[in-house]
Amino acid sequence: MSDIRTNALREPVEVVDYLFRRLHQLGVRSVHGLPGDYNLVALDYLPKNGLTWVGSTNELNAAYAADGYARVNGLGALITTFGVGELSALNGVAGAFSEQIPLVHIVGTPSTISQRNGMLLHHTLGNGDFNVFTNMSENISCEVAKLNNPAEIADQIDHTLRQCWLNSRPVYITLPTDRVTTKIEGDRLRTPIDLSEPANDPEREEYVVDVILRTLYAAKDPIILVDSCTIRHRVVKEVTDLINKTNIPFFMTPMGKGALDESDPRYGGIYAGSGSDPEVRKRVEDSDLILFVGALKSDFNTAGFSYRTSQLNTIHLHSRLCAVRYAEYPGVRMRGVLQRLTKKVDLSKVNTVPVSAKSRTIRAAGDSQVITHDWFWPKVSDFLRKRDIVVTETGTANFGILGTTFPPGVVALNQVLWGSIGWSVGAAQGAALASKDAKDDRRTVLFVGDGSFQLTVQELSTMLRHGLKPIIFLICNEGFTIERLIHGMEAEYNDIVPWDFKELVTVFGGSDKTARKIQIKTRSELEKLFKEDEFNKAAKLQFVEVYMPKEDAPAVLVQTAEQSAKLNSKLK
């Protein structure tokens, strides 16, 4: 950029400052990633813009952590270097795309001159193609911005960050080394990015609401079923307002767990098709009207596609469309529909049937001291506190937590759709950091299996480095239980090398002052721990080994795994 152009700017600001100030304005306070020579200069600018550099142990873990941070904070940011760094993060970013998480992936790239000349640089494929990695990320990003042209950069950044928020998906931003300190117009930083959703066409919205109301008034036993996109697209308040006004009973899916208050007397339980409590399943599938909000009907979310609900009795509300029975209304977003529906509904015409108290999870009985899943997960209900952040790993934890009743305000983090083993450890680090950045007193509680833990164990180091205090329950059951149930119960590929897991806390930098190591092998030991004031206070990182039988698993996981195995074996 010429000096004349720079002097013509009202408030010159360097590109990196513009980008980082925008992230700060959107609520980001910590940035995950790893250093590399193409992003090093940019990293120098984080502190002056109120951002903390986290620094993970590898890019995959950093992506998982940025995902977890975004789920708690509302937006997450990840910085990697060109080629080797960004590709290592790709699995984590793909998971964020699949699960609809707003994540900003910033990649430091070679200079625009190097790219234009096709120079044979390190971290390239040696073929002069500098677009190949961008092309890979394009399929797992809702927007791609190459910050090459100074005249366009400010607009690119603002547009891309807006798309990240509105679509609740990752975006990909390249920051060439010769553009980091280029001056652009900074005056527009005075105006916040507009994050408001496009309004529905009033006439179309009114029509859809009238159709829904006619269907609702004709129903004898309507229910509301809440799924993950209710959380992802931030309509929890709108759904809560509708329930509070109409008193329509509500249920949640596995991926929707934690969206609404489970202590509410109108809450009926978790619906997961054949994996549901029998009374829950009957009530949902017998309902003559299901208002299904934010549905994401994946195999693990539906216990192997085992829903038995009729489309004739279902109204679907989504972030980009609404559907009443077989009629779809594209472009009519659920937020506006829910708001208008709540405002317009005539309570005298709405029928409601209260949920049965028997639909609650019942604790397993027995005198055995062996810790089983049927006993463990209901017991966790008594341990959890209001506003806890609960992170569960793919496998036994994701399915076991369905047997736990959450206190009000609990935030549940899971990765049921993408299901990348090891995700939860990084995600717990990011979630705990987001809570720390918000200066609240939330506990972060992680439930992870020993097999999964071995993939991403290094994030213990990052947790300790930043003074985070999660409570980590490591389920020790000798390997990959979910894989055993799908195929190969005794196969050695589902086994793991046994580690002295709790000692890893020391290996990765923990001390008696910063961490506590606990081993639990009996029910009485666990019950005692759950009642302990020091443990519940969570004043330091606490690592708990919980031993369970190798072949034991939550019933819903067994059923889902059986369905998955059948799908895998089907012939064309």
Side-chain angles (χ1 to χ4, degrees):
M1 182 181 283
S2 68
D3 292 337
I4 295 177
R5 171 60 181 150
T6 299
N7 293 335
L9 299 174
R10 292 188 297 275
E11 293 188 27
V13 61
E14 292 173 321
V15 169
V16 67
D17 280 325
Y18 190 98
L19 175 58
F20 288 168
R21 284 173 65 180
R22 281 304 200 198
L23 288 179
H24 190 276
Q25 289 174 357
L26 293 177
V28 175
R29 295 296 179 267
S30 295
V31 177
H32 290 83
L34 266 79
D37 57 345
Y38 295 127
N39 66 29
L40 292 176
V41 174
L43 300 184
D44 289 337
Y45 286 75
L46 287 168
K48 66 176 287 191
N49 289 287
L51 300 175
T52 298
W53 174 245
V54 179
S56 294
T57 53
N58 59 59
E59 288 87 357
L60 175 61
N61 286 358
Y64 288 159
D67 176 317
Y69 187 95
R71 294 181 191 229
V72 174
N73 181 65
L75 189 73
L78 169 70
I79 298 179
T80 61
T81 197
F82 178 75
V84 293
E86 60 179 306
L87 293 191
S88 293
L90 222 55
N91 175 37
V93 177
F97 185 88
S98 172
E99 298 266 333
Q100 302 188 40
I101 306 299
L103 173 62
V104 182
H105 186 191
I106 301 165
V107 179
T109 66
S111 69
T112 57
I113 296 174
S114 298
Q115 294 186 50
R116 188 164 56 246
N117 293 335
M119 296 179 69
L120 191 62
L121 298 180
H122 62 286
H123 299 341
T124 71
L125 298 179
N127 60 2
D129 186 352
F130 286 86
N131 293 314
V132 61
F133 307 129
T134 301
N135 293 340
M136 291 179 185
S137 285
E138 193 169 16
N139 291 311
I140 54 171
S141 307
C142 70
E143 193 75 29
V144 170
K146 299 179 181 180
L147 306 186
N148 295 335
N149 185 348
E152 301 173 350
I153 287 176
D155 187 61
Q156 283 181 294
I157 290 172
D158 289 359
H159 173 75
T160 302
L161 295 180
R162 172 175 161 79
Q163 294 307 307
C164 182
W165 179 264
L166 291 182
N167 293 289
S168 195
R169 302 269 195 181
V171 293
Y172 177 91
I173 299 175
T174 66
L175 181 57
T177 55
D178 59 340
R179 288 291 173 251
V180 173
T181 58
T182 296
K183 294 291 196 301
I184 59 175
E185 180 57 68
D187 178 66
R188 62 190 292 164
L189 285 170
R190 298 175 181 274
T191 304
I193 297 174
D194 179 14
L195 299 179
S196 60
E197 245 181 44
N200 291 331
D201 176 88
E203 290 186 5
R204 287 172 60 83
E205 180 180 278
E206 183 76 21
Y207 178 80
V208 171
V209 169
D210 285 344
V211 172
I212 292 173
L213 286 174
R214 287 197 300 272
T215 308
L216 175 61
Y217 295 154
K220 301 300 182 184
D221 182 16
I223 65 165
I224 295 174
L225 184 56
V226 178
D227 210 337
S228 61
C229 288
T230 303
I231 304 168
R232 305 292 192 262
H233 294 278
R234 301 172 287 273
V235 294
V236 170
K237 180 183 182 300
E238 285 77 8
V239 176
T240 302
D241 288 345
L242 179 62
I243 292 169
N244 286 339
K245 183 171 182 180
T246 63
N247 285 317
I248 296 174
F250 67 94
F251 297 78
M252 291 184 280
T253 68
M255 288 183 71
K257 184 172 173 62
L260 304 181
D261 182 2
E262 296 185 18
S263 66
D264 191 312
R266 295 164 296 195
Y267 172 60
I270 296 291
Y271 176 65
S274 63
S276 312
D277 175 277
E279 288 194 29
V280 170
R281 184 179 186 185
K282 179 175 173 53
R283 178 65 191 274
V284 171
E285 295 178 0
D286 285 354
S287 172
D288 58 351
L289 179 61
I290 301 172
L291 188 63
F292 205 163
V293 186
L296 209 169
K297 294 191 279 188
S298 69
D299 52 354
F300 280 8
N301 199 31
T302 61
F305 304 115
S306 61
Y307 276 18
R308 295 295 180 267
T309 56
S310 169
Q311 192 167 340
L312 285 172
N313 295 336
T314 304
I315 295 172
H316 284 282
L317 304 183
H318 292 284
S319 60
R320 293 185 175 276
L321 64 87
C322 292
V324 182
R325 295 171 172 157
Y326 289 99
E328 287 193 357
Y329 303 93
V332 181
R333 298 170 179 260
M334 61 182 171
R335 185 185 308 279
V337 169
L338 284 165
Q339 291 172 343
R340 188 182 291 264
L341 190 60
T342 301
K343 183 177 181 180
K344 195 172 181 180
V345 63
D346 183 346
L347 299 181
S348 67
K349 299 179 180 179
V350 177
N351 298 299
T352 59
V353 179
V355 296
S356 169
K358 292 181 180 180
S359 63
R360 308 288 183 178
T361 301
I362 301 173
R363 288 198 175 96
D367 297 327
S368 172
Q369 282 295 307
V370 175
I371 300 174
T372 61
H373 286 281
D374 285 344
W375 179 87
F376 177 77
W377 295 106
K379 185 64 65 174
V380 169
S381 303
D382 296 331
F383 164 70
L384 295 178
R385 289 181 172 178
K386 292 180 179 179
R387 302 182 68 250
D388 277 348
I389 300 168
V390 178
V391 188
T392 52
E393 176 61 57
T394 297
T396 55
N398 262 356
F399 291 91
I401 200 68
L402 303 181
T404 300
T405 301
F406 285 170
V410 167
V411 173
L413 276 61
N414 57 55
Q415 202 191 53
V416 173
L417 178 55
W418 185 243
S420 184
I421 294 177
W423 164 86
S424 69
V425 183
Q429 180 261 295
L433 185 59
S435 177
K436 180 181 178 182
D437 284 353
K439 295 180 172 58
D440 62 27
D441 58 352
R442 286 184 167 188
R443 303 185 308 181
T444 299
V445 185
L446 166 63
F447 297 96
V448 58
D450 51 7
S452 300
F453 187 69
Q454 289 194 354
L455 274 71
T456 47
V457 60
Q458 307 98 317
E459 280 313 287
L460 269 179
S461 175
T462 312
M463 295 175 186
L464 291 162
R465 176 184 179 185
H466 288 275
L468 305 179
K469 304 168 184 177
I471 301 173
I472 301 172
F473 289 97
L474 182 72
I475 300 171
C476 297
N477 55 6
E478 305 178 47
F480 300 107
T481 302
I482 186 170
E483 313 291 11
R484 293 188 196 282
L485 293 169
I486 294 173
H487 181 78
M489 179 58 72
E490 299 299 332
E492 66 174 339
Y493 49 72
N494 287 327
D495 296 335
I496 60 171
V497 176
W499 290 357
D500 191 349
F501 288 99
K502 67 182 186 305
E503 293 309 314
L504 292 171
V505 175
T506 303
V507 169
F508 287 114
S511 65
D512 290 341
K513 184 178 180 180
T514 59
R516 181 183 177 192
K517 300 172 288 188
I518 305 165
Q519 188 176 81
I520 298 294
K521 293 189 174 182
T522 68
R523 295 184 179 188
S524 57
E525 289 174 343
L526 188 66
E527 289 181 316
K528 181 180 179 181
L529 183 66
F530 280 169
K531 296 176 182 178
E532 183 188 296
D533 289 340
E534 179 186 354
F535 182 70
N536 281 282
K537 192 183 298 182
K540 61 175 74 173
L541 184 148
Q542 297 180 105
F543 189 90
V544 186
E545 292 181 352
V546 181
Y547 285 80
M548 296 188 184
K550 175 181 175 180
E551 298 182 8
D552 186 54
V556 63
L557 173 56
V558 174
Q559 295 167 350
T560 303
E562 289 175 352
Q563 292 295 323
S564 182
K566 290 178 182 178
L567 286 172
N568 291 343
S569 64
K570 278 187 176 180
L571 299 176
K572 290 183 180 179

